[in-house]
Amino acid sequence: MTSERERTYHHGDLRRAILTAALDVIATEGPAALSLRDLARRAGVSHAAPAHHFKDRTGLLTAVAAEGYALFADALAGAPDLRERGVAYVRFAATHPAHFQVMFQPDLHRADDPDLLAARARATEALRSGVAGLPPAGRGEDDRLAGVAAWSLAHGFATLLLTGNLADALAGRDPEEAFRSLAASTFAPEDGRGR
């Protein structure tokens, strides 16, 4: 006779199963709806099983953020320049909305987690190298402020896209193409030519 646990949980990677269930909850209901007890029920395991892997809700959200930053860093690393890194940023947010929600809410996770710190550092370096690749006329006098401007543009666009606030402005236009156009006009050289 097969128990309920054996019927619902059979794949062998409980940590991944709990992370996947957490991402589903976050994507549909937001991080506030996350409960280790509910995730255990969804995975068909004891309510203590998620705590074995993540300790508590904050540990689980830290794992989500660390995984998100690692995926994000990989997405940014393949982009050849700042504009395409911005496009990768927007694409990442659209394809990983649950990770995106958690990554940028530091009150949800442990800021000193080594995996999170390493993944965030890789993503930050990918963004900074994109700004460093701009010609001096395209980034102004302060590289850090140029980085903040680029981050604000990509993050703001991605957030507005995810919350449905760009539907009218885009009017059916591809969001990635719209972002490329916006980034080209924002970081255009002084002679007015885009990249």
Side-chain angles (χ1 to χ4, degrees):
M1 177 171 217
T2 310
S3 73
E4 177 65 23
R5 179 179 172 166
E6 291 168 332
R7 277 197 312 271
T8 58
Y9 180 72
H10 57 82
H11 38 74
D13 189 352
L14 179 59
R15 185 178 196 283
R16 179 77 255 156
I18 293 168
L19 277 170
T20 299
L23 292 168
D24 290 344
V25 170
I26 294 165
T28 58
E29 303 172 46
L34 202 61
S35 150
L36 291 183
R37 186 174 292 273
D38 177 56
L39 295 175
R41 182 189 57 73
R42 289 172 186 247
V45 297
S46 77
H47 69 275
H52 172 73
H53 290 280
F54 302 103
K55 187 176 176 185
D56 56 19
R57 184 177 180 277
T58 302
L60 174 60
L61 289 167
T62 300
V64 167
E67 179 179 81
Y69 273 110
L71 293 167
F72 185 49
D74 291 345
L76 295 173
D81 58 24
L82 181 63
R83 182 173 36 184
E84 290 307 309
R85 283 187 177 115
V87 171
Y89 196 114
V90 170
R91 185 181 307 123
F92 174 84
T95 57
H96 298 280
H99 286 106
F100 191 79
Q101 285 185 63
V102 174
M103 289 162 54
F104 297 103
Q105 292 188 55
D107 58 316
L108 294 179
H109 41 78
R110 292 188 177 94
D112 61 348
D113 180 78
D115 292 337
L116 176 62
L117 290 171
R120 187 181 317 164
R122 279 192 331 124
T124 299
E125 181 52 37
L127 290 171
R128 284 188 181 146
S129 66
V131 171
L134 286 174
R139 66 177 180 256
E141 297 175 16
D142 188 333
D143 284 357
R144 291 186 65 87
L145 286 180
V148 169
W151 183 26
S152 298
L153 182 66
H155 191 82
F157 189 94
T159 300
L160 290 168
L161 181 66
L162 287 180
T163 57
N165 287 297
L166 291 180
D168 288 343
L170 293 178
R173 189 172 176 193
D174 176 60
E176 292 180 20
E177 286 306 316
F179 183 83
R180 278 185 184 96
S181 177
L182 183 61
S185 65
T186 303
F187 288 99
E190 289 178 356
D191 65 6
R193 287 178 289 143
R195 281 180 264 305

